[in-house]
Amino acid sequence: MEMFIKKKPEARVMDLVRQREIQESTARQVGRKLKVTSNLLRRLGLKTELEGHEGCVNCLEWNESGTTLASASDDMHVILWNPFRYEKKLKLQTGHGGNIFTVKFMPKSNDSILVTGAGDHKICVHDISISDTLLVCNCHLGRVKRVATAPSVPFLFWSASEDGLIMQYDLRLPHSCKKSEQRNVVVNLTQHAGRVVEAKCINVNPRRPELIAVGANDAYVRMYDRRMIKLQQRLTSNAIWLNKGDLDDSVPFGCARYFIAGHLRNRDSCKRFSSTYVTFNDDGNELLVNMGGEHIYLFDINNHGNSRSFIVPVELETNTGDQGCNDPCVEDNRAPIVLKDMSALNISEFSPEVEELQLKANKAFEEERYANAITLYNEAISLCPYSAKLYGNRAATYMKRAWGGDRYAALRDCRTTLSLDSEHIKAHYRLARCLFDLNLAQEAHIVMENFKEKFPQHANASACKTLRKDINEAINTCKVSSTTKSLSETRISDNEKEWRKNAIDFKLRLCGHCNTITDIKEANFFGDDGQFIIAGSDDGSFFIWDRYTTNIARVLKGDQRIVNCLQPHPSTCLLATSGIDSVIRLWSPMPEDGSVNVWEVENSNEAAIANYMRMNSDHFEVMLFNMGYRYSLNSGSTHDDNEDQQESSNNPTCRPS
């Protein structure tokens, strides 16, 4: 069988250049892919700092042509900048009485209409051409965290607030903030998810503006089709709709689709998650989410899968068994798992380049440098995406590293391994181990029964016998435990329960940054083709990932404390960032003159390990960490067995402040 090998980025760039010369019709697509290349990314450095604000810069926004950059701050001002002359064009007194969290240019307004939202619960619409405020809206009862616009919809904008309301505004119509006179609520999240839910971020699909993505203070990301929604009035302050939903069916069941990382679904943990930013890619087919307290996730919005994909994804198939099951631990009984046969695609012989990567990864694994090993396996898999051996090795490495979500990532790799090689003994065992560790004991039992039947010569190994015993104990414990629903489960509407049940799993996961301190931390595509993904971090750096390998491509120091905002220029390789500092920093490719980039963080894997410790520490430990003291990873997490313990050789050592 001929080996399937992906080309390296540099080879792909040369192919694109030749393609543009041969086929003129593809010039636009090629131009998109060449806007940010690997070479330009390697040269990315600080171009200048824009000074003018007197507080944290909480939001950045380019106009459509990229000739103006808007910034807004805790100082309650908006500044418009000329990004190429590095000078102010205008400093706008907004009239807000709280920190500004969001600023947007209205489409097709010749950049004269700006919308701002702030911590004073207000939304203001400014016409800078006549130096006037056109609208001051007091409809929200909580902090306004984000405003969204759509390029093809010039008169509408939408807002997300911590009062749980998603609102729509039409500048062509008169506006009133009186409840009895205004029907502008698209979704009231409190009607479905309870009174404690807060909307944190919102974005509109640029290609399909009827689709609105909403992030809240939970692990679910919501997407609504507003064409199916009937605008509502705001509820009175004492209205309670617990477990009722909207009584008028203003948000019908079919209008919403939910997304969530599989391991966060039904997670029994006191740790809280929150989507701090959501955005669609340029083609409108993918949704990028920065999950506070966790990692960055990419979702395919065209995936119409259901909740079963968390246990049995595309790579595996099941048949429904006895529908009369009374087991409280599982939704139904399932027949033994049957693998989808992909063995014809399996590659067992590697090219020299992939073989070298595999050997390096194996060595890193043996030396317990698990983060480095995963990086190498990622690169090998990007070049050779149909190898059971590579997926199996990466699964074992995820289980050793044991970061948040690594068990689930290992589970996914085990499924892929078995779909490529159904005789992979270790993948069978690891699949059961991962399911058990994810509190899916019934599914783990099914896998172990299959293992016993398929590999009887290994079934009595001590590790297998111990796992089977643990699984059986977990199942028996679950059967005799109370089946009373949790308080949070009883406070959500029937539609919400179904939306969550049918939520769709992620396509890609990106690790390395830390997102725990602020709830406005962004993540964006860098390059119109989405080749790279960027996000700020609580360590004062911003991270750039290669989406094809999911590896960290670069880490740059962007703020003294925290980087929150990253907004790429719409047409060139230019990036604006901001955070706790009162300045905006502009980044672009620097000359290849051999000079040292002082903003570069050299060891990206070490930075990622440090951020994982920071993200899984209590507030006192974070304070010490930010002062310069580092501590053992084992002090901040516990594991089920010795196999999963991180050794001290994989942890940064203490250093003086």
Side-chain angles (χ1 to χ4, degrees):
M1 175 181 172
E2 183 179 353
M3 289 188 296
F4 182 90
I5 302 295
K6 285 190 175 181
K7 294 185 177 181
K8 297 185 72 172
E10 292 80 2
R12 290 197 294 265
V13 168
M14 294 307 299
D15 286 346
L16 288 169
V17 173
R18 285 191 290 269
Q19 185 181 2
R20 182 174 60 181
E21 295 173 352
I22 297 170
Q23 199 171 354
E24 187 174 332
S25 61
T26 62
R28 179 181 175 276
Q29 292 88 338
V30 172
R32 285 177 52 196
K33 295 179 180 181
L34 293 177
K35 186 176 109 175
V36 180
T37 65
S38 298
N39 177 266
L40 294 177
L41 195 72
R42 281 194 296 268
R43 294 161 46 200
L44 196 70
L46 182 65
K47 191 71 173 177
T48 191
E49 295 180 344
L50 304 178
E51 299 181 358
H53 283 294
E54 297 177 3
C56 306
V57 181
N58 300 319
C59 49
L60 301 169
E61 179 73 8
W62 294 99
N63 67 345
E64 188 175 359
S65 63
T67 56
T68 303
L69 176 67
S71 61
S73 166
D74 284 358
D75 63 14
M76 295 169 285
H77 286 82
V78 170
I79 298 179
L80 302 184
W81 306 88
N82 183 319
F84 303 108
R85 293 180 178 272
Y86 316 137
E87 59 188 20
K88 297 179 194 174
K89 300 170 72 171
L90 175 69
K91 188 169 185 177
L92 176 67
Q93 293 184 347
T94 61
H96 281 294
N99 303 348
I100 301 176
F101 295 118
T102 180
V103 61
K104 284 287 184 181
F105 289 98
M106 284 301 296
K108 306 185 186 306
S109 67
N110 294 322
D111 304 330
S112 63
I113 307 296
L114 279 173
V115 183
T116 54
D120 59 2
H121 308 177
K122 295 180 181 179
I123 293 173
C124 297
V125 180
H126 315 272
D127 188 338
I128 58 177
S129 66
I130 58 175
S131 302
D132 192 17
T133 299
L134 304 179
L135 171 66
V136 178
C137 172
N138 294 284
C139 288
H140 281 298
L141 301 177
R143 296 190 300 174
V144 179
K145 300 312 293 283
R146 291 285 174 182
V147 166
T149 60
S152 59
V153 187
F155 302 108
L156 297 181
F157 68 90
W158 298 264
S159 62
S161 167
E162 290 179 339
D163 59 10
L165 298 182
I166 307 302
M167 292 191 180
Q168 175 176 292
Y169 307 82
D170 191 334
L171 294 181
R172 298 168 296 183
L173 302 177
H175 180 82
S176 171
C177 293
K178 294 182 179 179
K179 301 183 185 71
S180 59
E181 298 179 6
Q182 192 72 19
R183 301 184 69 91
N184 69 330
V185 176
V186 181
V187 181
N188 185 342
L189 296 179
T190 64
Q191 291 177 323
H192 298 280
R195 300 183 70 178
V196 298
V197 68
E198 300 175 352
K200 293 293 188 180
C201 48
I202 184 173
N203 200 275
V204 179
N205 192 311
R207 300 290 180 178
R208 300 171 59 190
E210 69 274 11
L211 299 180
I212 299 177
V214 175
N217 58 332
D218 58 25
Y220 289 90
V221 180
R222 299 148 169 90
M223 186 175 73
Y224 300 96
D225 188 334
R226 62 184 176 88
R227 297 172 301 181
M228 304 171 64
I229 294 175
K230 180 170 59 178
L231 296 179
Q232 312 169 59
Q233 290 182 347
R234 285 187 294 132
L235 297 178
T236 56
S237 59
N238 61 349
I240 300 177
W241 299 91
L242 298 183
N243 206 27
K244 296 290 185 181
D246 55 293
L247 299 182
D248 297 330
D249 198 28
S250 299
V251 185
F253 177 75
C255 78
R257 193 182 307 164
Y258 280 29
F259 304 86
I260 188 174
H263 60 287
L264 300 182
R265 187 170 183 261
N266 299 326
R267 178 174 171 142
D268 183 18
S269 171
C270 61
K271 187 173 182 179
R272 300 299 301 271
F273 302 102
S274 178
S275 300
T276 63
Y277 197 75
V278 293
T279 188
F280 293 94
N281 69 338
D282 185 63
D283 291 332
N285 295 319
E286 295 175 330
L287 181 62
L288 186 66
V289 178
N290 197 343
M291 184 60 63
E294 250 271 332
H295 308 295
I296 292 171
Y297 294 96
L298 185 69
F299 297 94
D300 179 0
I301 71 166
N302 298 315
N303 180 355
H304 296 282
N306 55 40
S307 64
R308 306 311 308 165
S309 65
F310 294 108
I311 299 170
V312 184
V314 176
E315 296 89 349
L316 303 175
E317 301 171 346
T318 62
N319 299 315
T320 303
D322 179 14
Q323 295 301 319
C325 172
N326 294 317
D327 188 345
C329 299
V330 293
E331 295 175 11
D332 55 53
N333 254 351
R334 279 179 293 279
I337 292 174
V338 179
L339 295 175
K340 183 177 180 181
D341 186 10
M342 294 173 57
S343 58
L345 297 174
N346 188 27
I347 294 174
S348 56
E349 295 183 8
F350 301 141
S351 69
E353 183 179 13
V354 174
E355 181 67 28
E356 182 180 0
L357 287 168
Q358 184 206 208
L359 292 174
K360 288 181 178 179
N362 292 348
K363 182 178 180 182
F365 179 89
E366 292 169 0
E367 295 174 351
E368 299 177 354
R369 294 182 292 111
Y370 302 123
N372 297 74
I374 288 171
T375 297
L376 292 163
Y377 283 130
N378 288 345
E379 189 173 349
I381 288 172
S382 74
L383 297 172
C384 183
Y386 297 109
S387 168
K389 185 176 182 180
L390 292 176
Y391 284 106
N393 288 351
R394 188 171 69 176
T397 314
Y398 277 133
M399 294 175 73
K400 284 288 190 179
R401 188 175 71 168
W403 289 6
D406 275 358
R407 287 287 180 179
Y408 188 67
L411 181 146
R412 286 166 56 118
D413 274 357
C414 287
R415 293 162 171 162
T416 305
T417 303
L418 293 173
S419 68
L420 291 165
D421 179 7
S422 61
E423 302 298 316
H424 200 294
I425 298 173
K426 290 183 178 180
H428 274 278
Y429 171 79
R430 290 170 186 151
L431 178 59
R433 176 83 243 182
C434 290
L435 287 167
F436 175 74
D437 290 343
L438 291 166
N439 299 319
L440 297 170
Q442 185 67 29
E443 285 75 13
H445 172 73
I446 294 172
V447 173
M448 283 307 292
E449 288 302 303
N450 290 347
F451 182 91
K452 184 178 179 180
E453 180 179 345
K454 193 174 183 67
F455 308 108
Q457 68 276 26
H458 297 282
N460 290 321
S462 60
C464 294
K465 292 170 69 175
T466 301
L467 180 56
R468 281 202 305 272
K469 179 182 176 182
D470 293 341
I471 290 171
N472 291 331
E473 288 179 355
I475 292 174
N476 292 331
T477 301
C478 185
K479 284 182 177 179
V480 300
S481 65
S482 172
T483 59
T484 304
K485 292 183 178 180
S486 67
L487 184 62
S488 60
E489 182 72 9
T490 62
R491 289 184 173 180
I492 63 176
S493 70
D494 291 339
N495 273 4
E496 181 76 11
K497 293 173 187 175
E498 287 299 310
W499 287 329
R500 293 184 179 188
K501 178 181 176 181
N502 296 320
I504 296 168
D505 200 5
F506 65 86
K507 180 178 179 180
L508 292 177
R509 179 180 72 135
L510 304 164
C511 304
H513 81 314
C514 180
N515 181 7
T516 58
I517 297 178
T518 60
D519 63 355
I520 57 173
K521 200 170 278 93
E522 299 176 348
N524 262 306
F525 296 95
F526 195 27
D528 284 350
D529 200 46
Q531 310 97 305
F532 302 99
I533 291 171
I534 53 177
S537 177
D538 290 343
D539 63 352
S541 303
F542 65 92
F543 284 67
I544 307 175
W545 291 268
D546 180 342
R547 66 162 293 168
Y548 298 112
T549 64
T550 70
N551 285 339
I552 300 170
R554 287 197 75 187
V555 183
L556 293 165
K557 193 72 176 177
D559 192 273
Q560 292 298 315
R561 283 164 286 182
I562 300 172
V563 176
N564 284 321
C565 306
L566 305 95
Q567 290 294 324
H569 190 274
S571 59
T572 189
C573 188
L574 179 64
L575 177 67
T577 67
S578 67
I580 303 301
D581 295 344
S582 60
V583 302
I584 298 105
R585 293 183 170 92
L586 297 180
W587 309 80
S588 65
M590 306 304 288
E592 295 184 281
D593 56 6
S595 58
V596 176
N597 188 344
V598 296
W599 299 88
E600 180 90 36
V601 177
E602 293 185 359
N603 193 325
S604 59
N605 278 326
E606 182 175 312
I609 293 169
N611 275 331
Y612 173 73
M613 291 192 290
R614 181 182 282 107
M615 192 156 54
N616 290 275
S617 306
D618 62 33
H619 294 301
F620 178 71
E621 289 173 329
V622 170
M623 180 184 71
L624 293 178
F625 197 103
N626 290 335
M627 290 170 60
Y629 294 96
R630 301 189 178 187
Y631 46 87
S632 170
L633 179 61
N634 290 330
S635 66
S637 61
T638 60
H639 304 285
D640 292 333
D641 50 53
N642 292 332
E643 178 185 3
D644 299 321
Q645 293 289 342
Q646 288 278 4
E647 299 296 332
S648 60
S649 60
N650 197 35
N651 299 328
T653 55
C654 296
R655 61 182 176 84
S657 61

